[in-house]
Amino acid sequence: MDKIVSLSKRRGFVFQSSEIYGGLNGCWDYGPLGVELLRNVKDAWWKAMTYREDIEGVDAAILMHPRVWEASGHVENFTDPMVDCKQCKSRYRVDILFEETSIKKQKDAWRELDPNAPKGQVTDEEVQKQFAILAEKYTDKVLGVLTCPNCGNKGTFTGARKFNLMFKTFVGPVEDANAIVYLRPETAQGIFVNFLNVQSASRQKPPFGIAQIGKAFRNEINTKNFLFRTREFEQMEMQFFVKPGSDVEWFNRWKEERMQWFLELGITKDKLQWHQHPRDKLAHYAKDAYDIEYQFPFGWGEIEGIHNRTDFDLARHEEYSGKSLKYYDEQTKERYIPYIIETSAGASRSFMAFLVDAYREEEAPTADGKTEVRTVLKFDPRLAPIKAAVFPLVNREGMPEIAKQIETALRPHMRVFYDDSGAVGRRYRRQDEIGTPFCVTVDSQTLADQTVTVRERDSMQQERVNVSQLRDYLQRKLY
Ligand code: GAP
């Protein structure tokens, strides 16, 4: 992971937010290449999800009426259990603190708190099982015998308390309770409250969906693992409204489609898996939920959730707003609240999965017949930030002028990069490292027959292509 974080900074994918002031925890900035990659991920999602007749797009405001978050359950339920160390003031999410407690410390805690705990040999599984039971039943007692990971003091934790993850701010000049609004913690609610607006404006009938890409904000207690858990991030969410009774079938269909999307964009199959939420851990709105998980260097992590949200959301917004959100079916004369199947992907987490999955270090031949290690990002060409680099082999004999003309001709159609510095082998390596699928080189043969070499990133094979056909050639391979 460290190599990817360092490459991200060096080559302009991702920078720490407000870095010159020491950074702001849980916030990241996308640099020139990162912004292209992120845009390409979002474009691929938008095309897959809305270039079809049964899904419409919206772009709702980030600030919404505060009652939205009461209706959605976020004011009451969107909390994490949290503790502070009274000594060093570090703050922890209780579940993560327990998860990261070593087996030895779990065993010590078990023995300290349970007089019946065995004194002799015991398996790690048994220790984990017993520790989990104690942590669930006697949370504060367990906290009382653990040491703070930061300062190492024992018994310095406060009791566990609920911490709401929504960021609060105020609308207008008066900062009182009546002016409180929240930065949305998910984009979904902007879709639910617009369900009938979109349905009637676009004359859709269930089954149909509404898609949205946008920022979401969560005041996460523990931000970690680069872009994985951040305080500001982007979601790509689609809510599919169906007739009750057809929800299970649509849930299964969307599950398959969403997994397929990641596979078609080149993510390694073995690095993706399903995780079904256990019945007793389902979110308050869900009847069934599966996560698509990616195997990051730090372990498996959710990149998208597919949820059967039932009629919970629309029923609650009806109740809290006093406005009917029922759909009336003219043909069958039925009036009902649709069930919702949600596909909720993190744009930033998907970005990170595509970046991590593309990263390789390989042996590659050098011009003098030896080999060297090349770092290469094997992005699907649709996601690559730069589509083609254009080089003059040498900076004389008219080669730079022809290369510049080629760059100018390609630029309106794709992101291109011109590079005339250093040996051509080094220029290839620089492009490999940022995942550019094609490098186009103008050489002495170009002067004779108007052909250039096109070198493909993954195979490193070169082909000669006539300049007049270059754009068609690249576009065919890129999209
Ligand atoms: N509307 C449902 C919803 O928001 P979620 O599982 O909380 O469900 C959906 O979030 C997706 O949003 C996750 O799969 C993840 O990709 C992304 N996500 C959630 N919290 C995040 C965070 N703190 N940082 C980055 N991405 C996050």
Side-chain angles (χ1 to χ4, degrees):
M1 201 64 215
D2 288 349
K3 283 184 180 170
I4 292 169
V5 176
S6 133
L7 181 135
S8 291
K9 175 167 183 201
R10 190 163 35 83
R11 299 306 311 268
F13 282 92
V14 179
F15 308 122
Q16 209 185 359
S17 161
S18 334
E19 191 184 350
I20 58 168
Y21 289 98
L24 180 65
N25 207 344
C27 299
W28 297 89
D29 297 341
Y30 291 82
L33 295 181
V35 80
E36 289 295 328
L37 175 59
L38 184 63
R39 186 174 287 269
N40 293 340
V41 169
K42 290 189 287 185
D43 281 353
W45 185 89
W46 192 253
K47 279 188 190 145
M49 301 303 275
T50 70
Y51 286 19
R52 41 187 291 162
E53 60 185 3
D54 56 355
I55 299 185
E56 308 289 343
V58 291
D59 187 358
I62 286 174
L63 300 178
M64 301 179 75
H65 194 288
R67 290 276 285 165
V68 167
W69 306 108
E70 289 171 32
S72 68
H74 282 81
V75 170
E76 195 187 342
N77 297 317
F78 198 54
T79 56
D80 275 342
M82 172 211 84
V83 284
D84 291 321
C85 171
K86 286 182 264 183
Q87 195 68 34
C88 71
K89 311 287 177 230
S90 297
R91 178 166 284 184
Y92 301 95
R93 238 174 80 175
V94 176
D95 52 339
I96 293 183
L97 184 72
F98 288 160
E99 223 174 85
E100 292 179 351
T101 300
S102 67
I103 297 282
K104 181 180 174 314
K105 287 189 174 154
Q106 291 189 8
K107 201 189 316 175
D108 293 346
W110 178 23
R111 288 189 173 147
E112 199 169 334
L113 292 172
D114 179 359
N116 299 323
K119 301 280 173 280
Q121 278 283 0
V122 57
T123 64
D124 289 356
E125 288 72 33
E126 188 57 19
V127 173
Q128 280 170 317
K129 191 175 143 203
Q130 293 303 329
F131 181 79
I133 294 171
L134 284 173
E136 171 99 33
K137 266 180 133 173
Y138 308 108
T139 309
D140 285 349
K141 281 197 174 140
V142 173
L143 287 168
V145 298
L146 291 184
T147 50
C148 169
N150 184 47
C151 66
N153 282 301
K154 186 173 166 183
T156 50
F157 288 122
T158 60
R161 55 178 185 271
K162 282 182 170 184
F163 175 75
N164 196 296
L165 299 186
M166 284 194 293
F167 281 102
K168 266 187 206 162
T169 186
F170 301 93
V171 276
V174 183
E175 297 196 359
D176 68 12
N178 294 328
I180 289 177
V181 288
Y182 301 97
L183 298 191
R184 65 181 178 201
E186 60 172 10
T187 57
Q189 301 300 327
I191 295 180
F192 302 144
V193 298
N194 276 304
F195 160 63
L196 277 187
N197 284 340
V198 174
Q199 185 272 320
S200 59
S202 54
R203 299 173 54 225
Q204 287 281 4
K205 301 183 174 87
F208 83 98
I210 306 178
Q212 171 167 225
I213 299 177
K215 291 258 178 165
F217 303 83
R218 297 182 187 179
N219 197 2
E220 301 281 2
I221 300 166
N222 282 349
T223 58
K224 60 174 184 180
N225 293 328
F226 195 33
L227 305 173
F228 188 76
R229 185 169 291 117
T230 56
R231 295 197 165 118
E232 175 177 342
F233 55 97
E234 263 184 299
Q235 288 188 315
M236 309 184 288
E237 296 201 302
M238 192 281 299
Q239 313 294 333
F240 205 72
F241 301 87
V242 304
K243 194 168 172 184
S246 64
D247 51 309
V248 173
E249 184 200 333
W250 278 107
F251 181 72
N252 291 330
R253 275 166 80 161
W254 277 112
K255 257 182 71 200
E256 291 320 308
E257 258 192 61
R258 292 306 307 148
M259 180 62 97
Q260 208 46 40
W261 184 77
F262 285 104
L263 292 171
E264 273 169 18
L265 283 171
I267 294 251
T268 312
K269 194 164 194 267
D270 293 347
K271 297 208 162 188
L272 290 170
Q273 71 175 17
W274 286 111
H275 165 72
Q276 184 178 17
H277 292 210
R279 299 263 156 227
D280 59 333
K281 295 255 164 67
L282 282 173
H284 57 277
Y285 52 74
K287 170 174 161 187
D288 201 359
Y290 278 80
D291 295 337
I292 298 177
E293 292 186 334
Y294 179 76
Q295 191 175 29
F296 290 102
F298 50 80
W300 290 96
E302 171 194 346
I303 50 176
E304 170 156 354
I306 293 97
H307 313 128
N308 182 342
R309 299 184 69 120
T310 68
D311 58 0
F312 174 87
D313 304 282
L314 293 183
R316 290 276 287 202
H317 284 304
E318 250 198 15
E319 184 190 334
Y320 279 68
S321 68
K323 303 270 159 43
S324 169
L325 289 175
K326 292 190 181 63
Y327 170 75
Y328 180 65
D329 188 327
E330 301 275 358
Q331 269 163 359
T332 62
K333 312 288 178 221
E334 284 173 284
R335 194 179 290 280
Y336 62 86
I337 297 182
Y339 269 40
I340 294 173
I341 307 303
E342 168 179 74
T343 70
S344 175
S348 341
R349 270 197 205 168
S350 304
F351 170 103
M352 187 162 86
F354 285 117
L355 184 64
V356 166
D357 203 68
Y359 186 91
R360 312 284 153 83
E361 287 175 11
E362 301 178 336
E363 287 287 321
T366 56
D368 56 6
K370 299 188 182 138
T371 61
E372 66 178 5
V373 174
R374 72 163 182 157
T375 299
V376 55
L377 290 177
K378 293 193 167 179
F379 292 128
D380 180 284
R382 287 166 292 181
L383 299 184
I386 307 276
K387 307 300 183 194
V390 185
F391 310 148
L393 184 64
V394 290
N395 283 317
R396 52 177 194 274
E397 295 166 34
M399 289 182 213
E401 288 75 12
I402 299 173
K404 272 279 166 203
Q405 280 167 16
I406 292 174
E407 181 214 353
T408 308
L410 291 177
R411 200 173 276 292
H413 307 281
M414 63 191 75
R415 288 286 297 189
V416 286
F417 182 81
Y418 180 86
D419 189 3
D420 61 5
S421 69
V424 80
R426 287 186 60 79
R427 287 182 252 169
Y428 284 149
R429 293 289 169 271
R430 287 201 288 262
Q431 294 307 313
D432 288 344
E433 203 185 37
I434 61 168
T436 306
F438 297 102
C439 291
V440 175
T441 306
V442 172
D443 55 18
S444 48
Q445 198 177 325
T446 314
L447 310 177
D449 66 4
Q450 286 80 49
T451 64
V452 285
T453 64
V454 179
R455 180 250 196 198
E456 200 269 329
R457 177 196 66 203
D458 298 349
S459 64
M460 293 182 282
Q461 296 296 309
Q462 304 193 6
E463 251 188 89
R464 287 211 80 86
V465 177
N466 197 290
V467 173
S468 62
Q469 274 140 36
L470 183 62
R471 191 179 111 203
D472 270 2
Y473 174 92
L474 292 174
Q475 282 182 323
R476 254 198 332 273
K477 302 232 170 198
L478 285 167
Y479 302 109

